[in-house]
């Protein structure tokens, strides 16, 4: 059923970075009577894994089709998107520039170290807003004779979000083959592209799933409008305009701010690692896991269901000792 639907849609070109579906793992955690599954996009094949490879399949294909000779993107110092962009760029033999906020790092741990090992040039933009710095540096590189291709924060535009449109149907097919059906799907949300792709795909189901995004930095209204805009653009790219199904945004697990662990997220990270052997990252997925624990322990419906948390990766960030050594306080 899903294959015929997907074959009818006009997808743009992409380069193969995924190698096949990522595994689904059933959890052994005793958080409630619902069945909990992890969709393991931390196990994508390159650069220590993560969800951004799905987006980069489309984005890098467009860069190559435009004959770009330089990739420019931006993100926080422990950006998973930046890491995988650096790795994917190196694999297709294009230099990459990663623009980060603040001052030039003096320590190169976690994702920053991997950015460097992949050959990316790291440019710190101080107090200048990231979007302005990206435009300025792209202009400077053009004046130096480059033909840069700029990838937005998190790879989150409509083209990149197509990766999670396809991923949604990958999950449904796997669950069908395994003899179960997802009821609620949860993911952590930063730049909105992952959730937007899932929402756009959910719009094509006769009975949509319950989708929940766990914000790691934006307010409900900001994130909701951003996801709606991107999801609508995804359906527009596929010439499949239709109304979007409802989706939920949870902002109760942001804590003190982006990239700052909370007691709940730190405890969830350790509990999941010890019980299921899965490592979440302190920035995104640990906060999502904490939200899943809360949802399962304070559920709305009386009947049991199958809940899926989309593990979008990010494990290397935990090795930034400057920011995350406090996790040991909860071990």
């Amino acid at each position: 059923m899903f294959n015929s639907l997907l074959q009818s849609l006009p997808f743009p070109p992409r380069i193969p970075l995924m190698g096949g579906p990522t595994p689904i793992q059933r959890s052994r955690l005793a958080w409630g009577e619902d069945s909990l599954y992890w969709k393991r996009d931390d196990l994508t094949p390159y650069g220590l894994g993560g969800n951004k490879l799905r987006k980069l399949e489309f984005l890098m294909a467009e860069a190559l089709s435009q004959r770009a000779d330089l990739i420019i993107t931006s993100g926080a110092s422990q950006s998973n998107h930046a890491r995988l962009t650096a790795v994917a760029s190196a694999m297709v033999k294009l230099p990459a520039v990663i623009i980060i906020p603040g001052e030039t790092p003096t320590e190169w741990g976690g994702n920053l170290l991997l950015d460097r090992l992949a050959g990316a040039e790291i440019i710190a933009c101080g107090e200048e807003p990231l979007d302005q710095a990206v435009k300025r540096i792209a202009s400077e590189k053009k004046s130096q004779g480059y033909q840069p291709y700029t990838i937005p924060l998190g790879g989150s535009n409509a083209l990149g979000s197509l990766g999670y449109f396809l991923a949604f149907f990958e999950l449904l097919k796997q669950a069908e083959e395994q003899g179960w059906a997802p009821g609620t799907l949860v993911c952590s949300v930063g730049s909105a592209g992952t959730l937007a792709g899932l929402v756009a795909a959910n719009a094509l189901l006769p009975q949509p799933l319950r989708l929940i995004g766990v914000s790691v930095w934006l307010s409900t209204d900001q994130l909701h409008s951003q996801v709606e805009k991107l999801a609508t653009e995804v359906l527009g790219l596929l010439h499949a305009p239709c109304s979007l199904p409802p989706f939920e945004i949870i902002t109760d697990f942001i804590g003190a701010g982006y990239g700052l662990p909370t007691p709940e997220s730190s405890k969830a990270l350790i509990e999941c690692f010890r019980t299921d052997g899965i490592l979440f990252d302190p920035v995104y997925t640990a906060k999502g896991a904490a939200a899943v624990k809360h949802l399962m322990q304070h559920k709305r419906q009386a009947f049991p269901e199958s809940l899926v948390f989309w593990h979008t990766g990010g494990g290397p960030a935990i090795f930034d000792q400057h920011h995350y050594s406090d996790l040991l306080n909860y071990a």
Side-chain angles (χ1 to χ4, degrees):
M1 178 181 74
F2 304 130
N3 286 342
S4 60
L5 170 63
L6 296 178
Q7 288 170 4
S8 69
L9 297 173
F11 288 97
R14 57 181 171 139
I15 60 173
L17 294 174
M18 289 296 299
T22 55
I24 296 176
Q25 176 179 339
R26 185 165 184 168
S27 176
R28 299 167 63 242
L29 289 160
W31 284 349
E33 62 178 351
D34 295 329
S35 298
L36 174 61
Y37 296 85
W38 311 115
K39 176 61 170 160
R40 299 290 307 272
D41 273 11
D42 59 316
L43 298 180
T44 57
Y46 303 120
L48 293 189
N51 66 324
K52 306 303 182 180
L53 279 181
R54 293 189 187 271
K55 300 177 181 182
L56 288 164
E57 285 195 323
F58 289 100
L59 295 166
M60 297 301 291
E62 184 175 71
L64 293 172
S65 72
Q66 294 180 3
R67 300 186 183 279
D69 56 11
L70 178 69
I71 301 296
I72 298 176
T73 197
S74 60
S77 62
Q78 286 300 322
S79 167
N80 301 306
H81 161 69
R83 164 175 49 90
L84 287 174
T85 299
V87 171
S89 298
M91 291 175 66
V92 299
K93 303 190 185 312
L94 291 178
V97 173
I98 308 297
I99 302 166
I100 62 173
E103 303 304 316
T104 301
T106 56
E107 299 178 0
W108 299 92
N111 282 319
L112 269 175
L113 173 62
L114 298 175
D115 296 343
R116 291 281 301 275
L117 293 179
E121 177 185 2
I122 311 297
I123 299 178
C125 66
E127 298 298 320
E128 183 181 9
L130 272 180
D131 56 347
Q132 292 182 20
V134 168
K135 292 177 181 177
R136 174 178 59 79
I137 292 167
S139 178
E140 291 173 358
K141 294 296 184 180
K142 284 181 182 178
S143 69
Q144 295 168 13
Y146 287 99
Q147 296 295 323
Y149 179 85
T150 299
I151 296 178
L153 192 73
S156 292
N157 57 14
L159 184 64
S161 296
L162 284 174
Y164 270 84
F165 182 96
L166 287 173
F168 181 88
F169 292 102
E170 174 184 302
L171 169 68
L172 293 186
K173 182 179 179 182
Q174 287 176 298
E176 183 179 62
E177 291 171 347
Q178 295 171 15
W180 60 279
T184 296
L185 179 55
V186 184
C187 66
S188 300
V189 186
S191 56
T194 296
L195 181 58
L198 298 175
V199 168
N202 201 32
L204 301 186
L205 292 189
Q207 293 184 310
L209 305 185
R210 181 189 181 197
L211 296 191
I212 302 174
V214 182
S215 177
V216 299
W217 70 310
L218 291 176
S219 69
T220 301
D221 290 344
Q222 287 175 293
L223 200 48
H224 205 279
S225 62
Q226 197 167 332
V227 170
E228 279 191 334
K229 178 178 180 293
L230 274 176
T232 301
E233 291 174 356
V234 168
L235 292 170
L237 276 180
L238 297 175
H239 306 298
C242 57
S243 59
L244 299 178
F247 59 92
E248 303 168 47
I249 300 292
I250 295 176
T251 57
D252 299 336
F253 295 85
I254 296 173
Y258 177 80
L260 302 175
T262 65
E264 293 79 13
S265 69
S266 297
K267 291 174 184 177
L269 184 155
I270 293 168
E271 189 174 359
C272 291
F273 191 50
R274 291 179 177 179
T275 304
D276 285 342
I278 293 179
L279 178 63
F280 292 118
D281 81 285
V283 182
Y284 296 96
T285 49
K287 292 182 178 182
V292 167
K293 181 177 182 178
H294 181 84
L295 285 167
M296 294 182 71
Q297 293 179 341
H298 301 84
K299 57 184 297 182
R300 296 191 314 196
Q301 71 278 14
F303 55 87
E305 63 163 338
S306 294
L307 187 147
V308 180
F309 179 70
W310 211 297
H311 186 352
T312 50
I318 203 170
F319 299 110
D320 178 4
Q321 292 296 316
H322 178 69
H323 289 100
Y324 302 123
S325 59
D326 286 350
L327 282 169
L328 293 174
N329 294 334
Y330 300 94

